[in-house]
């Protein structure tokens, strides 16, 4: 986690930066999600958690957008 900056950058208004693909989980959400899952499942490796998240995405028609963080956490926890 030390390689990620702790401060958030201001949102860019450049058109190429403004669009975020609907099936892309943004990095800050992903980091929060990973941290939460690591707290709930300290026995699981980071790679195992990421694999479980990918499985949740696969089971949800290939996307995570539209699911709440809590829903993703619950579904991932079932797999872990």
């Amino acid at each position: 986690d030390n390689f990620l900056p702790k401060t958030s950058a201001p949102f860019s208004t450049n058109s190429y930066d403004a669009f975020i693909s609907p099936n892309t989980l943004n990095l800050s959400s992903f980091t929060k999600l990973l941290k939460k899952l690591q707290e709930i499942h300290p026995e699981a490796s980071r790679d195992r958690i990421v694999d479980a998240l990918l499985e949740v995405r696969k089971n949800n028609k290939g996307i995570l957008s539209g699911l709440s963080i809590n829903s993703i956490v619950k579904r991932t926890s079932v797999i872990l």
Side-chain angles (χ1 to χ4, degrees):
D1 279 349
N2 291 341
F3 62 89
L4 292 174
K6 295 289 183 215
T7 57
S8 60
F11 185 76
S12 171
T13 55
N14 293 342
S15 60
Y16 60 88
D17 287 338
F19 178 76
I20 297 173
S21 172
N23 57 1
T24 301
L25 190 65
N26 73 44
L27 188 60
S28 104
S29 292
F30 178 77
T31 304
K32 287 178 195 168
L33 189 56
L34 199 57
K35 214 173 218 177
K36 189 169 195 157
L37 285 163
Q38 286 173 324
E39 288 169 8
I40 297 169
H41 303 283
E43 77 290 349
S45 69
R46 184 184 190 281
D47 287 348
R48 178 68 189 113
I49 292 171
V50 170
D51 287 345
L53 281 166
L54 290 172
E55 196 171 325
V56 169
R57 184 177 74 178
K58 187 182 78 178
N59 294 340
N60 194 54
K61 301 176 187 152
I63 58 172
L64 288 175
S65 64
L67 294 175
S68 69
I69 296 284
N70 285 340
S71 176
I72 296 170
V73 167
K74 285 177 188 170
R75 291 177 187 206
T76 306
S77 292
V78 168
I79 293 167
L80 292 170

